[in-house]
């Protein structure tokens, strides 16, 4: 199924209402027209335009509330995530334009952003979907200077960033990316999820070293993994929701930085430049250019978000811009980037898998039932209700012939109806008819036996195949375990690990 990228725009409220405010118009909540200030207009190559238009799925003006943004942007994405599709929501914009405000929110519960609202929504929804059994896991990482770190590792509270274990990436034979040194936490309710988010944000803040003074220089990826099993059909799925707060998109020429900071700025700009290159390459491929190679691997962030950008994922971008003319060049660059992103589309599919063990169990039960039925038949089938009725009828004294000849076909139909319990009694008028009925029954039983035997053969072949698949799966997982155990400093998944740190619980509303 094709899924067009959706791009939303959010304008940050202006600090002052002076002449410094950006001049713009919003049309039908979908189009932003920016009136270009003179210095910008004359700086443009083709400077005969006074304004520029940009189209979006929806434009949120300066007054839009957190709730309004959440309902419009996130609800449809999360619904498809709950149905088994991968999804990504990422915020892009210059530092101070409202990315973190949009994704995480401000200090108060009322001003919470998309991530905490998404957690509430997910837990509310899975409570309603009683046909499914769900498990939810959360991980939270930060990418900083081309290194990724776990934000849910408690030990990071006591150690400086330089001593943190870096998250390691490796790719398997099927090009799937696996991460080491990233903890995954099972999460049973909304509060546990919010505690994890707060712990991650807290670790991100306290990790401030001279190298990492501002969160605007790092990218953050909050990932919710959902395992859902349909209890009625043995099908399960695993879907991932990435909620991404990118580093500030400002250009290096503007960030007047030196030394270490310059180095950081380069990395940030580099990874966002690589993000742009990936988007351009994907755009060209969409327009029919022969682009086999998409440069995902140039940066860690694009490698990690490979599926979100050009794979099996429903992707949504929220562009955030300031409403001041001082920032107009950065805002225009964000707006231009968003238009390129809006042209992309991904091919998405439900990440379904069959619960092999449940299928094997069901097939084994079916097989046992069939074997029992077969044995009963082989014993003479005396216990079947149909036979009993026939026997009773046989004991009755019947005339030799009713005088009205009845065809074999009619008898066959009658017997079939009787055996299928569509008629309560087998109306037999003569011994001759009784004999014909027995003949018809014998024929029917033989046909059904043949069907049973075919079905049994089919089932045992199926069972054999499942056995093979299960053996292969076991071999694969023991191979992966061996691989993981071979590097002792690395732990892959530490599930069920809940943080010790207690955060203020949300007030009851
Ligand atoms: P970014 O993450 O893009 O660097 P922030 O989200 O930290 O920017 O926003 C900078 C400041 O502006 C914060 O104090 C934030 O609370 C405030 N802010 C951002 N967007 C809005 C908004 N839509 N409404 C009110 N305040 C906002
Ligand atoms: Mg921020």
């Amino acid at each position: 199924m094709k899924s067009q990228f959706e791009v939303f725009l959010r304008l940050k409220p202006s600090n002052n209402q002076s002449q410094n405010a950006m001049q713009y118009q919003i049309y039908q909540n979908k189009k932003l027209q920016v009136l270009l200030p003179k210095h910008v207009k004359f700086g443009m190559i083709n400077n005969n335009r006074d304004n520029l238009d940009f189209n979006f799925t929806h434009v949120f003006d300066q007054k839009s509330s957190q709730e309004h943004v959440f309902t419009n942007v996130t609800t449809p994405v999360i619904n498809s995530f709950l149905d088994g599709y991968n999804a990504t929501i990422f915020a892009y914009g210059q530092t101070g334009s409202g990315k973190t405000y949009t994704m995480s929110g401000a200090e108060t519960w009322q001003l919470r952003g998309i991530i905490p609202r998404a957690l509430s929504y997910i837990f509310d929804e899975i409570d309603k979907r009683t046909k499914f059994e769900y498990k939810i896991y959360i991980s939270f990482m930060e990418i900083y200077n081309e290194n990724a770190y776990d934000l849910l590792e408690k030990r990071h509270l006591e150690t400086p960033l330089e001593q943190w274990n870096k998250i390691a990436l490796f790719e398997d034979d099927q090009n799937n990316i696996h991460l080491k040194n990233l903890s995954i936490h099972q999460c049973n309710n909304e509060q546990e999820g919010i505690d994890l988010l707060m712990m991650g944000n807290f670790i991100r803040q306290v990790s401030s070293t001279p190298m990492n003074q501002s969160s605007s220089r790092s990218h953050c990826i909050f990932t919710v993994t959902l395992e859902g099993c349909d209890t009625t059909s043995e099908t399960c799925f695993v879907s991932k929701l990435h909620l991404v707060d990118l580093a500030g998109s400002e250009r290096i020429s503007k960030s007047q930085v030196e030394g270490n900071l310059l180095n950081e700025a380069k990395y940030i700009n580099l990874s966002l430049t690589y993000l742009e290159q990936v988007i351009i390459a994907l755009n060209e491929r969409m327009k029919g250019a022969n682009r086999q190679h998409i440069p995902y691997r140039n940066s860690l962030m694009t490698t990690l978000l490979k599926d979100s950008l050009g794979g099996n994922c429903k992707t949504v971008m929220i562009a955030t811009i300031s409403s001041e003319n001082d920032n107009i060049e950065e805002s225009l660059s964000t707006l231009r980037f968003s238009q390129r992103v809006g042209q992309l589309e991904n091919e998405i599919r439900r990440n379904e898998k069959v619960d092999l063990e449940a299928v094997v169990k069901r097939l084994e039960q079916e097989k046992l039932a069939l074997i029992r039925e077969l044995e009963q038949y082989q014993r003479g089938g005396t216990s079947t209700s149909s036979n009993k009725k026939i026997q009773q009828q046989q004991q009755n004294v019947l005339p030799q012939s009713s005088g009205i000849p009845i065809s074999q076909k009619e008898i066959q139909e009658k017997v079939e109806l009787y055996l299928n319990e569509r008629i309560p009694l087998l109306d037999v008028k003569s011994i001759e008819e009784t004999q014909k009925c027995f003949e018809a029954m014998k024929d029917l039983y033989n046909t059904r036996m043949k069907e049973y035997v075919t079905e049994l053969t089919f089932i045992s072949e199926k069972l054999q195949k499942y056995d093979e698949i299960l053996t292969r799966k076991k071999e694969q997982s023991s191979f992966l375990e061996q691989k993981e155990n071979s590097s002792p400093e690395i732990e892959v998944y530490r599930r069920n690990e809940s943080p010790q740190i207690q955060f203020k619980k949300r007030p009851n509303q």
Side-chain angles (χ1 to χ4, degrees):
M1 182 166 66
K2 293 254 184 274
S3 166
Q4 178 99 27
F5 280 41
E6 284 186 272
V7 181
F8 294 84
L9 175 69
R10 187 176 198 182
L11 287 137
K12 188 187 158 188
S14 176
N15 294 330
N16 52 52
Q17 298 303 317
S18 70
Q19 66 224 106
N20 222 9
M22 182 172 84
Q23 302 297 302
Y24 65 89
Q25 286 282 339
I26 297 172
Y27 295 97
Q28 289 154 352
N29 292 328
K30 288 192 179 306
K31 183 156 104 180
L32 178 87
Q33 186 170 74
V34 182
L35 190 70
L36 298 170
K38 280 205 176 71
H39 74 278
V40 174
K41 177 176 145 83
F42 292 125
M44 284 167 61
I45 300 166
N46 187 357
N47 62 11
N48 53 10
R49 294 197 59 175
D50 295 323
N51 50 49
L52 290 175
D53 292 348
F54 302 94
N55 296 305
F56 294 91
T57 304
H58 194 103
V59 178
F60 299 106
D61 65 16
Q62 299 186 33
K63 293 194 202 81
S64 293
S65 68
Q66 295 284 62
E67 192 185 352
H68 182 63
V69 172
F70 173 78
T71 313
N72 279 275
V73 177
T74 323
T75 323
V77 184
I78 297 188
N79 283 336
S80 90
F81 160 69
L82 290 169
D83 290 339
Y85 295 91
N86 292 337
T88 298
I89 301 175
F90 70 95
Y92 180 100
Q94 76 174 117
T95 298
S97 60
K99 296 181 298 297
T100 305
Y101 181 84
T102 301
M103 295 310 290
S104 294
E107 298 76 32
T108 64
W109 181 246
Q110 275 75 17
L111 294 180
R112 68 200 185 281
I114 282 178
I115 304 177
R117 281 171 203 271
L119 289 169
S120 316
Y121 186 83
I122 290 168
F123 282 104
D124 281 354
E125 274 300 304
I126 63 175
D127 278 351
K128 287 184 212 153
R129 301 184 180 205
T130 48
K131 215 178 104 185
F132 283 83
E133 274 171 11
Y134 290 105
K135 281 187 190 145
I136 289 186
Y137 302 94
I138 284 177
S139 60
F140 196 10
M141 72 165 106
E142 180 178 32
I143 305 174
Y144 175 68
N145 275 6
E146 273 306 283
N147 295 315
Y149 303 98
D150 187 355
L151 286 177
L152 297 180
E153 172 53 76
K154 282 178 291 197
R155 275 172 299 182
H156 290 170
L157 283 165
E158 289 123 41
T159 47
L161 186 112
E162 294 87 332
Q163 287 170 24
W164 294 6
N165 278 336
K166 289 175 189 162
I167 294 170
L169 262 71
F170 72 93
E171 226 170 308
D172 66 16
D173 308 342
Q174 275 108 44
N175 295 336
N176 297 314
I177 290 165
H178 300 268
L179 304 174
K180 289 189 173 186
N181 281 341
L182 177 68
S183 57
I184 294 189
H185 302 254
Q186 189 168 359
C187 186
N188 300 307
N189 53 51
E190 176 196 353
Q191 189 58 54
E192 281 180 20
I194 288 170
D195 286 350
L196 289 169
L197 169 68
M198 291 174 76
M199 172 158 113
N201 282 336
F202 187 65
I203 288 181
R204 193 181 181 197
Q205 280 159 25
V206 295
S207 69
S208 299
T209 64
M211 268 166 66
N212 181 24
Q213 278 159 353
S214 163
S215 56
S216 70
R217 298 191 188 100
S218 63
H219 312 290
C220 265
I221 307 179
F222 185 90
T223 305
V224 187
T225 306
L226 179 73
E227 279 178 20
C229 274
D230 185 335
T231 48
T232 54
S233 69
E234 299 143 0
T235 49
C236 296
F237 64 80
V238 180
S239 52
K240 274 186 194 295
L241 172 68
H242 293 307
L243 300 164
V244 188
D245 184 354
L246 290 176
S249 62
E250 51 277 3
R251 309 284 120 172
I252 191 155
S253 57
K254 253 204 149 184
S255 39
Q256 290 164 354
V257 286
E258 286 171 4
N260 259 342
L261 292 182
L262 176 70
N263 198 29
E264 287 171 16
K266 254 199 251 163
Y267 272 119
I268 300 150
N269 280 281
L270 263 182
S271 64
L272 288 174
T273 306
Y274 288 132
L275 174 66
E276 240 173 288
Q277 286 177 4
V278 166
I279 303 287
I280 290 170
L282 288 166
N283 258 316
E284 286 175 5
R285 188 158 77 181
M286 272 208 45
K287 284 176 190 151
N290 184 20
R291 275 213 77 138
Q292 295 299 322
H293 176 71
I294 308 291
Y296 296 110
R297 281 160 180 267
N298 282 352
S299 85
L300 200 58
M301 189 252 293
T302 47
T303 311
L304 283 167
L305 295 181
K306 182 178 162 195
D307 249 2
S308 311
L309 300 168
N312 172 24
C313 187
K314 188 175 174 65
T315 303
V316 168
M317 167 179 163
I318 307 173
T320 55
I321 59 167
S322 132
S323 321
E324 315 290 340
N325 254 345
D326 297 345
N327 297 312
I328 186 96
E329 271 145 349
E330 290 304 341
S331 300
L332 287 174
S333 128
T334 299
L335 291 165
R336 280 193 204 100
F337 177 70
S338 66
Q339 300 303 284
R340 275 203 285 272
V341 173
Q343 285 167 18
L344 298 179
E345 63 182 21
N346 269 346
E347 181 70 41
I348 60 168
R349 61 188 177 276
R350 195 160 184 261
N351 301 314
E352 213 170 79
K353 59 173 188 177
V354 176
D355 184 344
L356 284 180
E357 276 174 43
V359 171
V360 170
K361 218 161 131 190
R362 179 174 57 78
L363 286 176
E364 267 167 357
Q365 274 167 359
E366 271 177 23
K367 187 176 156 184
L368 275 177
L370 287 169
I371 289 170
R372 243 177 271 131
E373 216 166 311
L374 188 66
E375 281 169 359
Q376 213 170 44
Y377 172 76
Q378 280 165 345
R379 276 202 304 271
T382 45
S383 66
T384 62
S385 55
S386 49
N387 267 1
K388 269 183 193 158
K389 281 173 191 163
I390 290 284
Q391 279 166 4
Q392 277 164 13
Q393 296 233 352
Q394 231 185 336
Q395 282 159 14
N396 291 339
V397 182
L398 291 165
Q400 279 297 312
S401 167
S402 66
I404 310 153
I406 180 164
S407 77
Q408 189 66 29
K409 191 166 173 275
E410 276 172 305
I411 285 189
Q412 254 169 6
E413 279 167 7
K414 203 159 72 171
V415 166
E416 200 153 0
L417 285 174
Y418 175 70
L419 286 178
N420 291 336
E421 293 183 23
R422 304 267 297 280
I423 49 169
L425 275 173
L426 198 54
D427 184 20
V428 191
K429 296 209 170 54
S430 66
I431 290 176
E432 190 194 334
E433 239 182 74
T434 315
Q435 278 164 348
K436 279 185 181 170
C437 280
F438 274 115
E439 279 302 307
M441 244 174 229
K442 209 167 93 190
D443 285 350
L444 267 170
Y445 262 116
N446 281 337
T447 322
R448 282 195 189 172
M449 269 309 295
K450 269 187 203 145
E451 282 167 11
Y452 280 145
V453 171
T454 321
E455 202 172 330
L456 272 178
T457 321
F458 174 70
I459 288 172
S460 58
E461 277 170 5
K462 231 174 168 183
L463 281 173
Q464 209 175 332
K465 257 190 213 137
Y466 283 125
D467 272 347
E468 281 167 25
I469 295 170
L470 280 177
T471 320
R472 233 181 299 136
K473 288 267 166 222
K474 274 183 206 150
E475 280 169 9
Q476 271 174 8
S477 65
S478 71
F479 171 72
L480 277 175
E481 258 168 40
Q482 276 171 18
K483 227 173 162 184
E484 278 151 16
N485 294 338
S486 62
S487 42
E489 85 279 15
I490 287 165
E491 255 178 84
V492 189
Y493 292 143
R494 290 189 297 279
R495 292 190 168 175
N496 296 318
E497 195 177 290
S498 65
Q500 294 295 305
I501 299 163
Q502 290 300 313
F503 289 94
K504 232 173 41 191
K505 299 274 182 280
R506 69 164 165 132
N508 288 331
Q509 279 189 323

